[in-house]
């Protein structure tokens, strides 16, 4: 008798192909049938059937023979975010930090080895709006951002290695850490000091400070980060003032998470 306990679970290929088509439409920022055909290994007739089904489900819309993502994703995304504990616990704290600092503040989670921003607040002096919009629309690497490194540092070692193996250490700027041992050294330092920095590692001219958010089980559930131009985030502000504020915000979110699930009857 074959032991199937460790076997890979079965997959429904038609669903996988449908998801692949949706991803292609997003990556191309809208696409025609012909454009989708050049990216998906299916016949034109089969692709057309998938597209018609996705339109019927309101996951895609068709305008002048160009398919785009449907508005249904907006309401689905809002539901996912609004039912995520870290968003409920962190929204107001992120708002307070953005108001106090005047800069961009993000609340992020890790999903499948990438960083996903689930909330952000723009302070009065904040810059780089297009860059921050991109962060919301596309999962980002963990190794080159302050929030990403804050999360990575508190994951199990085997998980970190798996993420590096799958995602790689792609270079974004000349400051990006692309050496595995150097990244491990930095993650150890992050664990010691309680926060991570991004010194123009993701985009030239921007620095960031990020701190992990740890739940009652001592597991990292996300991170909060503050991003600002190097002209404003330097010296003591970069080395001590902002790190203290970001760590304080992370701690307040942790307290909010704890009190959300606190049971006085125990």
């Amino acid at each position: 008798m074959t032991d199937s306990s460790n076997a890979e679970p079965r997959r429904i290929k038609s669903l996988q192909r449908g998801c692949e088509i949706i991803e292609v439409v997003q990556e191309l920022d809208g696409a025609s049938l012909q454009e989708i055909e050049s990216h998906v290994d299916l016949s034109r007739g089969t692709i057309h059937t998938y597209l018609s089904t996705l339109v019927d489900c309101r996951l895609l819309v068709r305008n002048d023979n160009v398919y785009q993502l449907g508005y249904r994703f907006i309401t689905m995304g809002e539901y996912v975010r609004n039912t995520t504990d870290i968003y409920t616990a962190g929204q107001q704290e992120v708002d307070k930090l953005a108001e106090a600092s005047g800069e961009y503040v993000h609340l992020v989670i890790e999903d499948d080895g990438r960083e996903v921003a689930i909330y952000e607040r723009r302070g009065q002096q904040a810059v780089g709006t297009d860059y921050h919009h991109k962060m919301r629309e596309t999962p980002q690497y963990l190794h080159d951002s302050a929030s990403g490194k804050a999360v990575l540092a508190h994951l199990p070692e085997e998980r970190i290695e798996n993420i590096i193996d799958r995602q790689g250490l792609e270079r974004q700027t000349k400051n990006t850490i692309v050496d595995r041992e150097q990244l491990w050294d930095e993650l150890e330092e992050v664990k010691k000091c309680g926060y991570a920095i991004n010194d123009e590692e993701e985009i030239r001219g921007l620095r960031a400070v990020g701190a992990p958010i740890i739940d009652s089980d001592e597991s990292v559930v996300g991170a909060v980060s503050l991003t600002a131009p190097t002209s404003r985030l330097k010296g003591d502000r970069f080395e001590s003032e902002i790190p203290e504020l970001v760590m304080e915000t992370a701690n307040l979110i942790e307290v909010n998470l704890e009190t959300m699930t606190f049971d006085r009857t125990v």
Side-chain angles (χ1 to χ4, degrees), residues 118-146:
I118 62 170
Y119 184 65
E120 70 174 34
R121 182 62 181 265
R122 185 181 188 274
Q124 291 185 346
Q125 302 180 74
V127 298
T129 299
D130 290 344
Y131 157 72
H132 294 289
H133 283 173
K134 177 186 175 184
M135 280 190 64
R136 292 206 311 269
E137 295 173 358
T138 307
Q140 303 295 306
Y141 290 109
L142 295 172
H143 71 283
D144 59 8
S145 73

PDB file of all heavy atoms in Angstrom, residues 118-146:
ATOM      1  N   ILE A 118      -0.922  46.207   2.983  1.00  0.00           N
ATOM      2  CA  ILE A 118      -2.370  46.155   3.160  1.00  0.00           C
ATOM      3  C   ILE A 118      -2.943  47.501   3.591  1.00  0.00           C
ATOM      4  O   ILE A 118      -4.166  47.691   3.582  1.00  0.00           O
ATOM      5  CB  ILE A 118      -2.780  45.062   4.172  1.00  0.00           C
ATOM      6  CG1 ILE A 118      -2.206  45.348   5.560  1.00  0.00           C
ATOM      7  CG2 ILE A 118      -2.379  43.690   3.687  1.00  0.00           C
ATOM      8  CD1 ILE A 118      -2.780  44.426   6.624  1.00  0.00           C
ATOM      9  N   TYR A 119      -2.063  48.430   3.980  1.00  0.00           N
ATOM     10  CA  TYR A 119      -2.536  49.770   4.314  1.00  0.00           C
ATOM     11  C   TYR A 119      -1.364  50.733   4.263  1.00  0.00           C
ATOM     12  O   TYR A 119      -0.222  50.349   4.535  1.00  0.00           O
ATOM     13  CB  TYR A 119      -3.164  49.800   5.711  1.00  0.00           C
ATOM     14  CG  TYR A 119      -3.759  51.142   6.074  1.00  0.00           C
ATOM     15  CD1 TYR A 119      -4.851  51.655   5.376  1.00  0.00           C
ATOM     16  CD2 TYR A 119      -3.217  51.905   7.103  1.00  0.00           C
ATOM     17  CE1 TYR A 119      -5.395  52.887   5.692  1.00  0.00           C
ATOM     18  CE2 TYR A 119      -3.767  53.150   7.429  1.00  0.00           C
ATOM     19  CZ  TYR A 119      -4.850  53.637   6.722  1.00  0.00           C
ATOM     20  OH  TYR A 119      -5.387  54.857   7.035  1.00  0.00           O
ATOM     21  N   GLU A 120      -1.661  51.974   3.893  1.00  0.00           N
ATOM     22  CA  GLU A 120      -0.633  53.003   3.891  1.00  0.00           C
ATOM     23  C   GLU A 120      -1.274  54.342   4.226  1.00  0.00           C
ATOM     24  O   GLU A 120      -2.482  54.531   4.047  1.00  0.00           O
ATOM     25  CB  GLU A 120       0.071  53.104   2.551  1.00  0.00           C
ATOM     26  CG  GLU A 120      -0.799  53.682   1.446  1.00  0.00           C
ATOM     27  CD  GLU A 120      -0.039  53.903   0.155  1.00  0.00           C
ATOM     28  OE1 GLU A 120       0.873  53.097  -0.150  1.00  0.00           O
ATOM     29  OE2 GLU A 120      -0.365  54.860  -0.558  1.00  0.00           O
ATOM     30  N   ARG A 121      -0.465  55.237   4.729  1.00  0.00           N
ATOM     31  CA  ARG A 121      -0.940  56.599   4.987  1.00  0.00           C
ATOM     32  C   ARG A 121       0.145  57.569   4.540  1.00  0.00           C
ATOM     33  O   ARG A 121       1.329  57.390   4.866  1.00  0.00           O
ATOM     34  CB  ARG A 121      -1.243  56.792   6.468  1.00  0.00           C
ATOM     35  CG  ARG A 121      -1.791  58.175   6.810  1.00  0.00           C
ATOM     36  CD  ARG A 121      -3.134  58.450   6.114  1.00  0.00           C
ATOM     37  NE  ARG A 121      -3.623  59.780   6.429  1.00  0.00           N
ATOM     38  CZ  ARG A 121      -4.484  60.050   7.413  1.00  0.00           C
ATOM     39  NH1 ARG A 121      -4.935  59.059   8.180  1.00  0.00           N
ATOM     40  NH2 ARG A 121      -4.883  61.282   7.629  1.00  0.00           N
ATOM     41  N   ARG A 122      -0.277  58.590   3.835  1.00  0.00           N
ATOM     42  CA  ARG A 122       0.651  59.579   3.291  1.00  0.00           C
ATOM     43  C   ARG A 122       0.677  60.800   4.188  1.00  0.00           C
ATOM     44  O   ARG A 122      -0.343  61.452   4.395  1.00  0.00           O
ATOM     45  CB  ARG A 122       0.214  59.969   1.882  1.00  0.00           C
ATOM     46  CG  ARG A 122       1.158  60.892   1.152  1.00  0.00           C
ATOM     47  CD  ARG A 122       0.599  61.218  -0.235  1.00  0.00           C
ATOM     48  NE  ARG A 122       1.573  61.952  -1.030  1.00  0.00           N
ATOM     49  CZ  ARG A 122       1.734  63.261  -0.997  1.00  0.00           C
ATOM     50  NH1 ARG A 122       0.985  63.996  -0.176  1.00  0.00           N
ATOM     51  NH2 ARG A 122       2.645  63.845  -1.773  1.00  0.00           N
ATOM     52  N   GLY A 123       1.854  61.099   4.757  1.00  0.00           N
ATOM     53  CA  GLY A 123       2.018  62.299   5.546  1.00  0.00           C
ATOM     54  C   GLY A 123       2.085  63.533   4.655  1.00  0.00           C
ATOM     55  O   GLY A 123       2.207  63.437   3.429  1.00  0.00           O
ATOM     56  N   GLN A 124       2.037  64.711   5.265  1.00  0.00           N
ATOM     57  CA  GLN A 124       1.966  65.952   4.504  1.00  0.00           C
ATOM     58  C   GLN A 124       3.203  66.218   3.654  1.00  0.00           C
ATOM     59  O   GLN A 124       3.126  66.890   2.628  1.00  0.00           O
ATOM     60  CB  GLN A 124       1.727  67.126   5.457  1.00  0.00           C
ATOM     61  CG  GLN A 124       0.343  67.131   6.091  1.00  0.00           C
ATOM     62  CD  GLN A 124       0.084  68.365   6.924  1.00  0.00           C
ATOM     63  OE1 GLN A 124       1.011  69.106   7.254  1.00  0.00           O
ATOM     64  NE2 GLN A 124      -1.168  68.601   7.271  1.00  0.00           N
ATOM     65  N   GLN A 125       4.371  65.696   4.066  1.00  0.00           N
ATOM     66  CA  GLN A 125       5.599  65.944   3.313  1.00  0.00           C
ATOM     67  C   GLN A 125       5.983  64.777   2.403  1.00  0.00           C
ATOM     68  O   GLN A 125       7.008  64.829   1.729  1.00  0.00           O
ATOM     69  CB  GLN A 125       6.765  66.199   4.278  1.00  0.00           C
ATOM     70  CG  GLN A 125       6.569  67.356   5.229  1.00  0.00           C
ATOM     71  CD  GLN A 125       7.771  67.511   6.130  1.00  0.00           C
ATOM     72  OE1 GLN A 125       8.842  67.973   5.712  1.00  0.00           O
ATOM     73  NE2 GLN A 125       7.626  67.098   7.382  1.00  0.00           N
ATOM     74  N   ALA A 126       5.199  63.732   2.394  1.00  0.00           N
ATOM     75  CA  ALA A 126       5.575  62.493   1.716  1.00  0.00           C
ATOM     76  C   ALA A 126       5.746  62.689   0.218  1.00  0.00           C
ATOM     77  O   ALA A 126       5.043  63.482  -0.417  1.00  0.00           O
ATOM     78  CB  ALA A 126       4.531  61.414   1.978  1.00  0.00           C
ATOM     79  N   VAL A 127       6.692  61.945  -0.346  1.00  0.00           N
ATOM     80  CA  VAL A 127       6.966  61.995  -1.784  1.00  0.00           C
ATOM     81  C   VAL A 127       6.987  60.570  -2.339  1.00  0.00           C
ATOM     82  O   VAL A 127       6.954  59.600  -1.600  1.00  0.00           O
ATOM     83  CB  VAL A 127       8.319  62.679  -2.079  1.00  0.00           C
ATOM     84  CG1 VAL A 127       8.305  64.119  -1.591  1.00  0.00           C
ATOM     85  CG2 VAL A 127       9.472  61.903  -1.437  1.00  0.00           C
ATOM     86  N   GLY A 128       7.053  60.470  -3.668  1.00  0.00           N
ATOM     87  CA  GLY A 128       7.161  59.155  -4.306  1.00  0.00           C
ATOM     88  C   GLY A 128       5.842  58.433  -4.429  1.00  0.00           C
ATOM     89  O   GLY A 128       5.767  57.221  -4.251  1.00  0.00           O
ATOM     90  N   THR A 129       4.769  59.172  -4.764  1.00  0.00           N
ATOM     91  CA  THR A 129       3.439  58.570  -4.811  1.00  0.00           C
ATOM     92  C   THR A 129       3.365  57.418  -5.802  1.00  0.00           C
ATOM     93  O   THR A 129       2.777  56.369  -5.507  1.00  0.00           O
ATOM     94  CB  THR A 129       2.390  59.639  -5.175  1.00  0.00           C
ATOM     95  OG1 THR A 129       2.407  60.661  -4.169  1.00  0.00           O
ATOM     96  CG2 THR A 129       0.997  59.035  -5.245  1.00  0.00           C
ATOM     97  N   ASP A 130       3.943  57.577  -6.997  1.00  0.00           N
ATOM     98  CA  ASP A 130       3.886  56.505  -8.003  1.00  0.00           C
ATOM     99  C   ASP A 130       4.540  55.229  -7.482  1.00  0.00           C
ATOM    100  O   ASP A 130       4.040  54.115  -7.706  1.00  0.00           O
ATOM    101  CB  ASP A 130       4.573  56.947  -9.293  1.00  0.00           C
ATOM    102  CG  ASP A 130       3.777  58.014 -10.033  1.00  0.00           C
ATOM    103  OD1 ASP A 130       2.577  58.173  -9.717  1.00  0.00           O
ATOM    104  OD2 ASP A 130       4.359  58.684 -10.897  1.00  0.00           O
ATOM    105  N   TYR A 131       5.667  55.373  -6.812  1.00  0.00           N
ATOM    106  CA  TYR A 131       6.370  54.221  -6.242  1.00  0.00           C
ATOM    107  C   TYR A 131       5.504  53.515  -5.214  1.00  0.00           C
ATOM    108  O   TYR A 131       5.410  52.289  -5.194  1.00  0.00           O
ATOM    109  CB  TYR A 131       7.674  54.708  -5.609  1.00  0.00           C
ATOM    110  CG  TYR A 131       8.248  53.809  -4.548  1.00  0.00           C
ATOM    111  CD1 TYR A 131       8.834  52.586  -4.871  1.00  0.00           C
ATOM    112  CD2 TYR A 131       8.221  54.185  -3.204  1.00  0.00           C
ATOM    113  CE1 TYR A 131       9.365  51.772  -3.889  1.00  0.00           C
ATOM    114  CE2 TYR A 131       8.751  53.370  -2.220  1.00  0.00           C
ATOM    115  CZ  TYR A 131       9.319  52.171  -2.576  1.00  0.00           C
ATOM    116  OH  TYR A 131       9.847  51.359  -1.597  1.00  0.00           O
ATOM    117  N   HIS A 132       4.833  54.279  -4.362  1.00  0.00           N
ATOM    118  CA  HIS A 132       4.010  53.674  -3.321  1.00  0.00           C
ATOM    119  C   HIS A 132       2.746  53.035  -3.902  1.00  0.00           C
ATOM    120  O   HIS A 132       2.267  52.027  -3.375  1.00  0.00           O
ATOM    121  CB  HIS A 132       3.664  54.720  -2.262  1.00  0.00           C
ATOM    122  CG  HIS A 132       4.866  55.205  -1.506  1.00  0.00           C
ATOM    123  ND1 HIS A 132       5.539  54.410  -0.602  1.00  0.00           N
ATOM    124  CD2 HIS A 132       5.532  56.387  -1.538  1.00  0.00           C
ATOM    125  CE1 HIS A 132       6.566  55.093  -0.107  1.00  0.00           C
ATOM    126  NE2 HIS A 132       6.580  56.286  -0.660  1.00  0.00           N
ATOM    127  N   HIS A 133       2.233  53.594  -4.988  1.00  0.00           N
ATOM    128  CA  HIS A 133       1.114  52.951  -5.674  1.00  0.00           C
ATOM    129  C   HIS A 133       1.532  51.583  -6.205  1.00  0.00           C
ATOM    130  O   HIS A 133       0.779  50.608  -6.122  1.00  0.00           O
ATOM    131  CB  HIS A 133       0.627  53.828  -6.828  1.00  0.00           C
ATOM    132  CG  HIS A 133      -0.209  54.978  -6.378  1.00  0.00           C
ATOM    133  ND1 HIS A 133      -0.630  55.970  -7.236  1.00  0.00           N
ATOM    134  CD2 HIS A 133      -0.708  55.317  -5.158  1.00  0.00           C
ATOM    135  CE1 HIS A 133      -1.353  56.854  -6.575  1.00  0.00           C
ATOM    136  NE2 HIS A 133      -1.397  56.485  -5.300  1.00  0.00           N
ATOM    137  N   LYS A 134       2.738  51.509  -6.755  1.00  0.00           N
ATOM    138  CA  LYS A 134       3.246  50.238  -7.273  1.00  0.00           C
ATOM    139  C   LYS A 134       3.348  49.205  -6.157  1.00  0.00           C
ATOM    140  O   LYS A 134       3.049  48.024  -6.356  1.00  0.00           O
ATOM    141  CB  LYS A 134       4.624  50.446  -7.915  1.00  0.00           C
ATOM    142  CG  LYS A 134       5.258  49.161  -8.426  1.00  0.00           C
ATOM    143  CD  LYS A 134       6.674  49.402  -8.918  1.00  0.00           C
ATOM    144  CE  LYS A 134       7.340  48.087  -9.307  1.00  0.00           C
ATOM    145  NZ  LYS A 134       8.757  48.265  -9.711  1.00  0.00           N
ATOM    146  N   MET A 135       3.775  49.655  -4.989  1.00  0.00           N
ATOM    147  CA  MET A 135       3.883  48.739  -3.849  1.00  0.00           C
ATOM    148  C   MET A 135       2.540  48.095  -3.530  1.00  0.00           C
ATOM    149  O   MET A 135       2.477  46.925  -3.161  1.00  0.00           O
ATOM    150  CB  MET A 135       4.388  49.485  -2.609  1.00  0.00           C
ATOM    151  CG  MET A 135       5.878  49.713  -2.561  1.00  0.00           C
ATOM    152  SD  MET A 135       6.394  50.331  -0.950  1.00  0.00           S
ATOM    153  CE  MET A 135       5.961  48.954   0.110  1.00  0.00           C
ATOM    154  N   ARG A 136       1.462  48.871  -3.664  1.00  0.00           N
ATOM    155  CA  ARG A 136       0.141  48.345  -3.352  1.00  0.00           C
ATOM    156  C   ARG A 136      -0.350  47.370  -4.414  1.00  0.00           C
ATOM    157  O   ARG A 136      -1.087  46.437  -4.112  1.00  0.00           O
ATOM    158  CB  ARG A 136      -0.875  49.490  -3.222  1.00  0.00           C
ATOM    159  CG  ARG A 136      -0.668  50.381  -2.022  1.00  0.00           C
ATOM    160  CD  ARG A 136      -1.976  51.042  -1.609  1.00  0.00           C
ATOM    161  NE  ARG A 136      -2.675  51.662  -2.707  1.00  0.00           N
ATOM    162  CZ  ARG A 136      -2.518  52.928  -3.089  1.00  0.00           C
ATOM    163  NH1 ARG A 136      -1.663  53.694  -2.452  1.00  0.00           N
ATOM    164  NH2 ARG A 136      -3.224  53.418  -4.093  1.00  0.00           N
ATOM    165  N   GLU A 137       0.049  47.601  -5.642  1.00  0.00           N
ATOM    166  CA  GLU A 137      -0.488  46.827  -6.754  1.00  0.00           C
ATOM    167  C   GLU A 137       0.246  45.525  -7.003  1.00  0.00           C
ATOM    168  O   GLU A 137      -0.322  44.597  -7.587  1.00  0.00           O
ATOM    169  CB  GLU A 137      -0.453  47.678  -8.031  1.00  0.00           C
ATOM    170  CG  GLU A 137      -1.365  48.897  -7.979  1.00  0.00           C
ATOM    171  CD  GLU A 137      -1.180  49.799  -9.184  1.00  0.00           C
ATOM    172  OE1 GLU A 137      -0.314  49.476 -10.027  1.00  0.00           O
ATOM    173  OE2 GLU A 137      -1.895  50.805  -9.277  1.00  0.00           O
ATOM    174  N   THR A 138       1.502  45.459  -6.594  1.00  0.00           N
ATOM    175  CA  THR A 138       2.321  44.287  -6.914  1.00  0.00           C
ATOM    176  C   THR A 138       3.087  43.822  -5.674  1.00  0.00           C
ATOM    177  O   THR A 138       3.737  44.638  -5.017  1.00  0.00           O
ATOM    178  CB  THR A 138       3.338  44.631  -8.018  1.00  0.00           C
ATOM    179  OG1 THR A 138       2.644  45.210  -9.128  1.00  0.00           O
ATOM    180  CG2 THR A 138       4.081  43.384  -8.471  1.00  0.00           C
ATOM    181  N   PRO A 139       3.033  42.531  -5.348  1.00  0.00           N
ATOM    182  CA  PRO A 139       3.847  42.030  -4.230  1.00  0.00           C
ATOM    183  C   PRO A 139       5.321  42.326  -4.462  1.00  0.00           C
ATOM    184  O   PRO A 139       5.835  42.151  -5.573  1.00  0.00           O
ATOM    185  CB  PRO A 139       3.562  40.525  -4.240  1.00  0.00           C
ATOM    186  CG  PRO A 139       2.223  40.394  -4.896  1.00  0.00           C
ATOM    187  CD  PRO A 139       2.187  41.480  -5.938  1.00  0.00           C
ATOM    188  N   GLN A 140       6.014  42.786  -3.427  1.00  0.00           N
ATOM    189  CA  GLN A 140       7.403  43.200  -3.540  1.00  0.00           C
ATOM    190  C   GLN A 140       8.350  42.187  -2.899  1.00  0.00           C
ATOM    191  O   GLN A 140       7.946  41.358  -2.077  1.00  0.00           O
ATOM    192  CB  GLN A 140       7.595  44.566  -2.870  1.00  0.00           C
ATOM    193  CG  GLN A 140       6.701  45.655  -3.425  1.00  0.00           C
ATOM    194  CD  GLN A 140       7.005  45.985  -4.870  1.00  0.00           C
ATOM    195  OE1 GLN A 140       8.140  46.282  -5.222  1.00  0.00           O
ATOM    196  NE2 GLN A 140       5.981  45.949  -5.720  1.00  0.00           N
ATOM    197  N   TYR A 141       9.633  42.277  -3.257  1.00  0.00           N
ATOM    198  CA  TYR A 141      10.643  41.431  -2.626  1.00  0.00           C
ATOM    199  C   TYR A 141      10.801  41.811  -1.152  1.00  0.00           C
ATOM    200  O   TYR A 141      10.524  42.953  -0.753  1.00  0.00           O
ATOM    201  CB  TYR A 141      11.987  41.593  -3.335  1.00  0.00           C
ATOM    202  CG  TYR A 141      12.034  40.992  -4.717  1.00  0.00           C
ATOM    203  CD1 TYR A 141      12.076  41.813  -5.849  1.00  0.00           C
ATOM    204  CD2 TYR A 141      12.044  39.608  -4.895  1.00  0.00           C
ATOM    205  CE1 TYR A 141      12.127  41.267  -7.120  1.00  0.00           C
ATOM    206  CE2 TYR A 141      12.091  39.059  -6.170  1.00  0.00           C
ATOM    207  CZ  TYR A 141      12.130  39.890  -7.277  1.00  0.00           C
ATOM    208  OH  TYR A 141      12.171  39.346  -8.538  1.00  0.00           O
ATOM    209  N   LEU A 142      11.264  40.859  -0.368  1.00  0.00           N
ATOM    210  CA  LEU A 142      11.485  41.095   1.061  1.00  0.00           C
ATOM    211  C   LEU A 142      12.901  41.567   1.361  1.00  0.00           C
ATOM    212  O   LEU A 142      13.117  42.323   2.306  1.00  0.00           O
ATOM    213  CB  LEU A 142      11.202  39.820   1.857  1.00  0.00           C
ATOM    214  CG  LEU A 142       9.763  39.302   1.855  1.00  0.00           C
ATOM    215  CD1 LEU A 142       9.707  37.922   2.519  1.00  0.00           C
ATOM    216  CD2 LEU A 142       8.827  40.266   2.557  1.00  0.00           C
ATOM    217  N   HIS A 143      13.872  41.145   0.551  1.00  0.00           N
ATOM    218  CA  HIS A 143      15.274  41.344   0.914  1.00  0.00           C
ATOM    219  C   HIS A 143      15.773  42.775   0.747  1.00  0.00           C
ATOM    220  O   HIS A 143      16.840  43.113   1.273  1.00  0.00           O
ATOM    221  CB  HIS A 143      16.173  40.411   0.087  1.00  0.00           C
ATOM    222  CG  HIS A 143      16.277  40.804  -1.358  1.00  0.00           C
ATOM    223  ND1 HIS A 143      15.273  40.548  -2.264  1.00  0.00           N
ATOM    224  CD2 HIS A 143      17.257  41.439  -2.053  1.00  0.00           C
ATOM    225  CE1 HIS A 143      15.639  40.991  -3.451  1.00  0.00           C
ATOM    226  NE2 HIS A 143      16.840  41.544  -3.355  1.00  0.00           N
ATOM    227  N   ASP A 144      15.022  43.619   0.022  1.00  0.00           N
ATOM    228  CA  ASP A 144      15.523  44.958  -0.253  1.00  0.00           C
ATOM    229  C   ASP A 144      14.695  46.071   0.389  1.00  0.00           C
ATOM    230  O   ASP A 144      14.885  47.248   0.086  1.00  0.00           O
ATOM    231  CB  ASP A 144      15.616  45.203  -1.764  1.00  0.00           C
ATOM    232  CG  ASP A 144      14.272  45.045  -2.470  1.00  0.00           C
ATOM    233  OD1 ASP A 144      13.246  44.896  -1.779  1.00  0.00           O
ATOM    234  OD2 ASP A 144      14.244  45.068  -3.714  1.00  0.00           O
ATOM    235  N   SER A 145      13.773  45.715   1.276  1.00  0.00           N
ATOM    236  CA  SER A 145      12.956  46.726   1.949  1.00  0.00           C
ATOM    237  C   SER A 145      13.114  46.599   3.460  1.00  0.00           C
ATOM    238  O   SER A 145      13.428  45.523   3.981  1.00  0.00           O
ATOM    239  CB  SER A 145      11.480  46.578   1.569  1.00  0.00           C
ATOM    240  OG  SER A 145      10.902  45.452   2.189  1.00  0.00           O
ATOM    241  N   ALA A 146      12.873  47.695   4.166  1.00  0.00           N
ATOM    242  CA  ALA A 146      12.999  47.688   5.626  1.00  0.00           C
ATOM    243  C   ALA A 146      11.943  46.786   6.255  1.00  0.00           C
ATOM    244  O   ALA A 146      12.247  45.967   7.132  1.00  0.00           O
ATOM    245  CB  ALA A 146      12.868  49.112   6.160  1.00  0.00           C
TER     246      ALA A 146
END
